[in-house]
Amino acid sequence: MFNLLGIFGYIIARYFVSIPSWLYFLLSLPIGVLFLMFCTTVIYDGSRLLLSRVPLSDSRRSFFKKSLDLSSVFLASGLSARAMYNAKVITTEQVDIKIKNLKQPYTIAQISDLHIGGLIDGHFVKNIVNNVNKIDADLVVITGDLLDTKVSFSKTVLLELTKLKSRFGTYYIVGNHEYFHGVSEILSAVRSLGIKVLENENIYIGARGAGFNLAGVYDLFGYRVGHHEPDLNKALQNVKQAPTVLLAHQPKYISEVKKGVDLMLSGHTHGGQIYPFKYLVALAQPYISGLHQHDERLQIYVNKGTGFWGPPMRLGASAEITHITLLPS
């Protein structure tokens, strides 16, 4: 009953940003705790079924049952505590990606799915910015779901992003969550920070004749709402004769990429966020995390998310800042 009330409370709390952070934290936990309890219950019931098939004396059966009961409680509690701790730990994943016809190396710092709002506050974002700046990248890309609230409630937090440092600037595309909170207002707010928003368009990065095209599209959710729809043909118009990196929030957008792209950078999946939820995510997305060779030319890298959505919990999918090094092939 507590978990059920907490879930309803959390849904309501998302529309009252003035709610105390400690209460928001408590209300956000039941979704994750309930999922972990369900997984633990499956293991518990399977173990009890196995125990019932083993010939044992009544006393030994009672001992094993009590041990199983206690172990299940400790397992669920331990996993929940560990998942809450993991949500605060952000790792920097280093990945080298070879790109055909690239003339010289470039470094990209990718962050994704911050979901600013609720428990993702200025302190959290400041920590992310500091870690990104340690990479000393050529450029920074933000692959969607930056905000999970109205712009008016997050202006101070967004200002932290102006402190991102790189040689060629910061580039941003929208994710599906921006459509829930006023996508046009969010785009205007991000532009005002000096961040380049790629709206079905491209820009050339690097020295003439030795750089690459960086393109970005709106999210697939635009098809559902009928505005800010992704248009790859428009995004690739007038690209220079050079490799092309595409920013697209959802990995499944790759099904629309038929030619002209060497690497796609995505987010959205959170790597599943809480194991084994990634197997459910896999029903909707072709790639969950990491680097994959999609076809002979096209590669895709999926960031596991730098923030979190819903419960402040991560298990088996660490929060990630990606340090990408593009290398000539």
Side-chain angles (χ1 to χ4, degrees), residues 200-202 232-240:
N200 292 332
E201 59 186 310
N202 69 81
L232 185 59
N233 289 329
K234 183 178 178 182
L236 297 181
Q237 278 183 358
N238 303 316
V239 293
K240 292 181 170 54

Side-chain angles (χ1 to χ4, degrees), residues 222-267:
Y223 290 143
R224 295 181 59 179
V225 296
H227 60 85
H228 294 86
E229 300 177 5
D231 186 335
L232 185 59
N233 289 329
K234 183 178 178 182
L236 297 181
Q237 278 183 358
N238 303 316
V239 293
K240 292 181 170 54
Q241 290 295 318
T244 297
V245 176
L246 173 68
L247 308 182
H249 179 63
Q250 298 191 47
K252 67 181 179 182
Y253 186 76
I254 203 167
S255 64
E256 297 194 16
V257 182
K258 304 303 181 183
K259 60 181 180 178
V261 177
D262 298 271
L263 173 66
M264 183 169 131
L265 300 179
S266 299

Side-chain angles (χ1 to χ4, degrees), residues 56 175 287 307:
L56 295 170
Y287 303 108

Side-chain angles (χ1 to χ4, degrees), residues 191-212:
R191 289 191 208 99
S192 72
L193 302 174
I195 294 173
K196 172 62 178 176
V197 181
L198 294 175
E199 304 179 67
N200 292 332
E201 59 186 310
N202 69 81
I203 189 168
Y204 188 76
I205 302 292
R208 180 175 296 180
F212 64 94

Side-chain angles (χ1 to χ4, degrees), residues 278-285 288:
K278 71 176 186 178
Y279 296 110
L280 296 179
V281 178
L283 298 177
Q285 300 292 335
I288 307 303

Side-chain angles (χ1 to χ4, degrees), residues 74-85:
F74 284 124
L75 178 62
S77 301
L79 288 176
S80 297
R82 182 65 187 182
M84 284 185 278
Y85 171 80

